[in-house]
Amino acid sequence: MFSCKTIAFIYLSEPSSQFCHKVPIFLFHSVHFLSLGALNFWSVNVHQRKFQNLLKGTRVRNLNRNQIRYYAPALGFLMFAVGVNSSEKDFIEAFKRPDAIFAGYVGQFVVKPLLGYIFGIIAVTVFGLPTPLAAGIMLVSCVSGAQLSNYATFLTDPPLAPLSIVMTSLSTATAVFVTPMLSLLLIGKRLPVDVVGMVSSILQIVIAPITAGLLLNRLFPRLCEAMRPFLPPLSVLDTACCVGAPLAININSVLSPFGLTVSLLIVAFHLSAFIAGYFLSGSLFHKAPDVKALQRTLSFETGMQSSLLALALANRFFQDPLVSVPPAISTVIMSLMGFALVMIWAKKKE
């Protein structure tokens, strides 16, 4: 499934923790608007016809039911590893920082959608891409935070991992209301989000594994102590699967005739979000004693989001397969960039 050219592992040691974190790094002009802020993705121009002809036979693939069934436990294991290395006091302390939680929420559902709208317009006005691709970029910006951001925070700043988990859980829980509103505002189409599915996702991927890790750490500390040396290499393999699986599934969209242009736009989009989260939090919390760690945490929260949810929404509610391309590419780019930052910041801390 994965070749040696696809994945390379770089092992980093973090002196602030009691064990080594192994961080995976993967080698990697017309448009019609319904109104200001609403993209008319139903309009078809010459560019759309050209790209749709190129796309024939290259439908973006979504995760099927069996793949989703394995993907949730894979992310859950990373949350379990965080729980084993945390305590209840860490989460209590996280809730004592409502200003930071609110800042993370604003980064996810205000800053990110604004950037998505800007890059969506750039896609069609500057690069002449078809409007469904712009709709896909905007859709990526409307979804909730990614659980991988919690693990990225855990690798760089373990004490702030609970805060990151609270931020992501809050954005995921409220996405059932916020995502449809943002999609209607930016794209011009209301997308119903499954409330039960969202709650189930939080319980399976976040709450249950973290609770299990906390209880295990509290009731059987010696067992956890024996487990800790094995968690980093297992987490490396787990993270590789979480990033590599979407790449393998959506390789056709990445290698499509317009894949390079969309990839560059997605890179710029996520890079802008990482930078915005870092510097905005720095200006807001410049007096905090852990301002640098907080900047890194809010950068992950702003720059990483649940692109798989955007991909599922695109496949389900949009007839044009082009809408699915940006979310498919984002699942890979977002993870690569996030863990590249983990490597950079971990080395700087050394």
Side-chain angles (χ1 to χ4, degrees):
M1 187 184 222
F2 307 106
S3 67
C4 59
K5 295 180 181 179
T6 306
I7 300 176
F9 294 105
I10 299 178
Y11 299 94
L12 301 176
S13 175
E14 184 178 358
S16 61
S17 64
Q18 296 179 353
F19 57 89
C20 293
H21 297 299
K22 298 179 181 180
V23 183
I25 301 302
F26 306 86
L27 305 180
F28 39 83
H29 281 295
S30 63
V31 59
H32 305 286
F33 291 96
L34 293 173
S35 62
L36 183 61
L39 177 63
N40 182 4
F41 54 86
W42 293 284
S43 63
V44 180
N45 53 35
V46 176
H47 297 291
Q48 285 175 290
R49 295 191 187 98
K50 178 177 67 175
F51 282 106
Q52 285 169 342
N53 288 333
L54 289 172
L55 190 70
K56 284 182 179 178
T58 313
R59 173 87 182 181
V60 178
R61 295 174 57 192
N62 192 12
L63 293 175
N64 62 37
R65 186 169 298 179
N66 288 330
Q67 290 161 337
I68 292 174
R69 184 170 56 185
Y70 294 121
Y71 192 82
L75 289 176
F77 176 79
L78 297 180
M79 295 301 100
F80 173 76
V82 173
V84 168
N85 290 280
S86 304
S87 66
E88 299 90 334
K89 294 181 181 179
D90 297 327
F91 286 90
I92 294 174
E93 290 298 320
F95 281 104
K96 292 181 180 179
R97 308 185 73 167
D99 52 347
I101 295 173
F102 180 72
Y105 195 82
V106 170
Q108 190 63 241
F109 282 136
V110 177
V111 175
K112 197 68 169 283
L114 285 174
L115 290 172
Y117 179 68
I118 291 171
F119 279 97
I121 292 178
I122 291 174
V124 292
T125 57
V126 177
F127 293 95
L129 296 179
T131 51
L133 286 174
I137 295 174
M138 293 181 186
L139 182 59
V140 169
S141 71
C142 294
V143 293
S144 57
Q147 278 78 22
L148 277 178
S149 66
N150 307 148
Y151 193 65
T153 300
F154 174 67
L155 291 175
T156 54
D157 301 283
L160 291 186
L163 179 63
S164 175
I165 291 167
V166 172
M167 291 177 182
T168 304
S169 298
L170 179 62
S171 68
T172 304
T174 57
V176 295
F177 310 106
V178 180
T179 296
M181 180 183 67
L182 288 173
S183 63
L184 180 63
L185 178 65
L186 298 184
I187 310 174
K189 182 171 183 177
R190 185 175 181 83
L191 304 178
V193 179
D194 183 10
V195 178
V196 176
M198 282 290 192
V199 174
S200 176
S201 173
I202 296 174
L203 290 175
Q204 292 180 45
I205 299 175
V206 181
I207 305 298
I210 286 178
T211 302
L214 290 172
L215 288 175
L216 197 67
N217 195 17
R218 186 177 184 85
L219 299 176
F220 305 99
R222 291 185 179 179
L223 177 60
C224 288
E225 195 66 33
M227 289 172 54
R228 286 192 181 102
F230 300 98
L231 291 178
L234 290 175
S235 296
V236 168
L237 178 61
D238 195 357
T239 308
C241 293
C242 289
V243 180
L247 173 61
I249 292 168
N250 298 296
I251 191 65
N252 287 338
S253 62
V254 177
L255 299 178
S256 62
F258 46 84
L260 178 59
T261 304
V262 177
S263 296
L264 292 175
L265 285 169
I266 292 294
V267 167
F269 165 62
H270 284 292
L271 181 61
S272 300
F274 280 118
I275 293 173
Y278 187 86
F279 286 104
L280 287 177
S281 57
S283 62
L284 291 174
F285 304 103
H286 60 278
K287 294 183 179 180
D290 57 348
V291 59
K292 288 299 181 182
L294 198 56
Q295 282 183 277
R296 290 188 287 264
T297 300
L298 288 171
S299 178
F300 286 132
E301 288 302 313
T302 307
M304 303 177 76
Q305 78 295 312
S306 183
S307 299
L308 285 176
L309 173 59
L311 181 58
L313 292 173
N315 277 279
R316 182 175 179 181
F317 296 108
F318 291 85
Q319 293 182 353
D320 197 317
L322 285 173
V323 181
S324 302
V325 174
I329 294 176
S330 177
T331 57
V332 181
I333 297 296
M334 177 261 304
S335 303
L336 294 179
M337 295 182 71
F339 286 105
L341 284 175
V342 169
M343 181 186 72
I344 294 170
W345 284 331
K347 281 192 173 183
K348 281 188 175 181
K349 289 178 67 176
E350 291 180 358

